[in-house]
Amino acid sequence: MIYLDYAATTPVDDDVLDTFDKVTKEYIGNPNSLHRLGISSKKLIESATRQIASILNIRESEIIYTSGASEANNMAIKGIALKYKSRGCHIITTRLEHSSVIAPLSYLQQMGYKIDFVNLDEMGRVDLNHLSKLIREDTILVSISSVNSELGIIQPVEAIADLLKKYPKVYFHSDITQAIGKININLERIDLASFSAQKIYGMKGIGCLVKKEKIALIPLIHGGKSTTIYRSGTPATALIASLAKSLRLVSTSRCQNYQKVLELNQYVQEKLNKNPYIHINSNSCCSPYIINFSVKKVKPETLLHALEESDIFISTQTACSTGDKSTAVYEVTKNEEYARSSLRISFSHLTTKQDLDIFMNQLKSHIERLVELYESHQDNSSLV
């Protein structure tokens, strides 16, 4: 099997799984219970939280555990909107955001909130001048992902944070799911940040919202004691411990993994550029962990399933996308055909050149076969 869909989810690291298994078996008490088993679980969670806070250079009190990045995004956006609605109802974002950002914003729009989309430059990065012009007296939130999940575009997060410093009543939220453990991310000037363990070789079902102490939220879930007043429910001891483990592992090896993936990315792009049917949509401002490309005359789903038959797994749009074209690809390329035929491969330090050689050979073979079928069909349909 050749897996090239790491941006969708990653396999669980063996050490992370061992941590989850050990904690599940040995720490059975509810962390909210007052007896010895509960206190033991609570202490383990506190230890894991200290580790995460140290790695991210934040306060322990700024960590809210969630079921994943989608919940964290919803909590940040809805929580801010409901808490600060007396200040205003204006929110700014981009058209490159994950559906778990766009969907809650659409929901708020139905409730009367005003949503503006900031312009992008030719590389897909936020136009800072336009962002400045969009900010109004009633603006309460700017939500912009650090790394786009389809093309891998890296946004100038620190420059955005610098700009927003002039507006202390405007909070800055960033979905850092595709950045954490891959590129350097400084949370010092980000007010709220969301991420998920499943993208960093951790368990599914655990994520985090980093919320700076100065900020309050209206919770999504009410009722019951937990690790924070902002998210009720019995704390998932084993998942929290495994999150700390996965975050520690990816942070330790981040630089060497980045260099390896960068070399793999360059290797693949050189080969893709030689194929006349392929157009690469990702650009020099993108994370090396993602390459988005389009194939002329071939439906992306058809090519995806053809590769699947060869035990090679890639993606069309992000796994949570809806619709028949990529909004992100269209926003950057302004090309409808590219947006409708986009495919994504995403790498890991686990990816090998041998994997990529097999992938490229199979990709070339399938494209040639499918293009031949397409052209044959076109010729036959033109006959009278």
Side-chain angles (χ1 to χ4, degrees):
M1 181 186 77
I2 296 173
Y3 185 71
L4 295 172
D5 198 18
Y6 289 92
T9 194
T10 56
V12 178
D13 183 279
D14 287 342
D15 288 340
V16 174
L17 189 58
D18 286 345
T19 295
F20 177 82
D21 184 58
K22 179 180 174 66
V23 174
T24 298
K25 292 175 180 177
E26 297 182 10
Y27 291 81
I28 64 170
N30 186 323
N32 295 329
S33 298
L34 297 179
H35 52 62
R36 185 175 71 247
L37 294 178
I39 292 170
S40 177
S41 294
K42 183 178 180 180
K43 286 183 177 178
L44 182 66
I45 288 176
E46 289 171 346
S47 174
T49 302
R50 282 194 297 274
Q51 290 179 42
I52 294 170
S54 176
I55 292 167
L56 299 179
N57 195 27
I58 58 174
R59 294 186 173 101
E60 295 166 42
S61 59
E62 295 175 336
I63 294 172
I64 303 172
Y65 295 113
T66 68
S67 62
S70 289
E71 183 190 337
N73 285 334
N74 273 262
M75 181 185 293
I77 293 166
K78 294 176 184 174
I80 289 289
L82 296 175
K83 180 65 180 178
Y84 297 101
K85 61 182 176 181
S86 61
R87 282 191 196 171
C89 60
H90 182 235
I91 300 172
I92 301 169
T93 189
T94 79
R95 297 191 186 277
L96 301 183
E97 303 307 307
H98 189 268
S99 59
S100 62
V101 169
I102 297 298
L105 289 175
S106 297
Y107 167 76
L108 290 172
Q109 199 168 29
Q110 294 171 23
M111 296 174 62
Y113 288 80
K114 308 299 180 185
I115 313 300
D116 269 329
F117 293 91
V118 64
N119 291 343
L120 307 172
D121 66 17
E122 67 279 1
M123 303 299 279
R125 297 169 301 185
V126 166
D127 180 334
L128 296 174
N129 288 329
H130 187 235
L131 176 59
S132 181
K133 290 176 183 176
L134 285 177
I135 297 173
R136 315 183 323 200
E137 280 295 318
D138 62 341
T139 305
I140 53 175
L141 180 68
V142 172
S143 181
I144 297 171
S145 62
S146 298
V147 176
N148 166 262
S149 61
E150 287 194 51
L151 294 103
I153 296 166
I154 302 172
Q155 294 295 345
V157 170
E158 293 197 11
I160 295 169
D162 281 342
L163 187 157
L164 294 177
K165 271 193 344 185
K166 295 182 287 187
Y167 306 94
K169 292 185 178 180
V170 179
Y171 295 124
F172 181 26
H173 165 248
S174 187
D175 181 346
I176 63 170
T177 305
Q178 298 293 344
I180 195 162
K182 299 180 178 71
I183 66 172
N184 185 41
I185 185 81
N186 183 358
L187 298 181
E188 182 180 354
R189 287 171 291 175
I190 298 176
D191 297 308
L192 305 113
S194 316
F195 67 91
S196 174
Q198 65 157 321
K199 311 290 187 176
I200 52 172
Y201 313 93
M203 306 292 295
K204 293 174 179 64
I206 184 70
C208 183
L209 175 65
V210 176
K211 180 199 69 65
K212 296 301 174 65
E213 280 189 332
K214 65 179 181 178
I215 301 167
L217 295 174
I218 298 297
L220 291 181
I221 303 171
H222 296 84
K225 186 180 177 184
S226 190
T227 60
T228 170
I229 62 171
Y230 296 107
R231 209 275 190 173
S232 300
T234 303
T237 308
L239 286 173
I240 291 170
S242 70
L243 172 61
K245 186 63 167 284
S246 60
L247 190 57
R248 187 167 71 249
L249 291 173
V250 295
S251 298
T252 302
S253 57
R254 179 177 62 82
C255 291
Q256 79 179 63
N257 289 345
Y258 181 91
Q259 189 56 44
K260 177 182 179 181
V261 169
L262 179 62
E263 291 171 5
L264 294 176
N265 180 293
Q266 293 168 344
Y267 180 71
V268 171
Q269 290 217 37
E270 286 176 11
K271 290 185 175 292
L272 289 176
N273 276 321
K274 293 176 181 177
N275 192 312
Y277 296 104
I278 290 176
H279 176 272
I280 299 176
N281 300 314
S282 297
N283 56 49
S284 60
C285 292
C286 292
S287 164
Y289 285 84
I290 293 172
I291 297 179
N292 187 294
F293 63 96
S294 297
V295 181
K296 300 172 186 176
K297 302 182 179 181
V298 178
K299 288 184 178 180
E301 296 84 359
T302 303
L303 188 51
L304 180 149
H305 291 305
L307 288 166
E308 184 181 7
E309 290 176 6
S310 302
D311 222 20
I312 299 170
F313 300 89
I314 65 171
S315 175
T316 51
Q317 302 174 47
T318 60
C320 300
S321 291
T322 58
D324 62 351
K325 74 173 183 180
S326 166
T327 301
V329 172
Y330 182 77
E331 283 298 309
V332 175
T333 65
K334 304 301 181 187
N335 187 299
E336 189 87 19
E337 183 183 354
Y338 294 159
R340 292 188 183 280
S341 60
S342 65
L343 292 156
R344 180 188 69 183
I345 55 175
S346 44
F347 306 103
S348 162
H349 62 281
L350 302 174
T351 308
T352 67
K353 273 193 175 181
Q354 182 181 8
D355 290 338
L356 295 175
D357 283 336
I358 295 170
F359 161 69
M360 292 303 305
N361 287 333
Q362 288 294 318
L363 180 68
K364 182 175 181 292
S365 175
H366 286 304
I367 288 174
E368 289 173 352
R369 177 178 61 82
L370 291 169
V371 167
E372 185 178 344
L373 283 172
Y374 171 84
E375 291 177 344
S376 173
H377 175 75
Q378 292 294 101
D379 290 342
N380 289 337
S381 64
S382 65
L383 295 176
V384 177

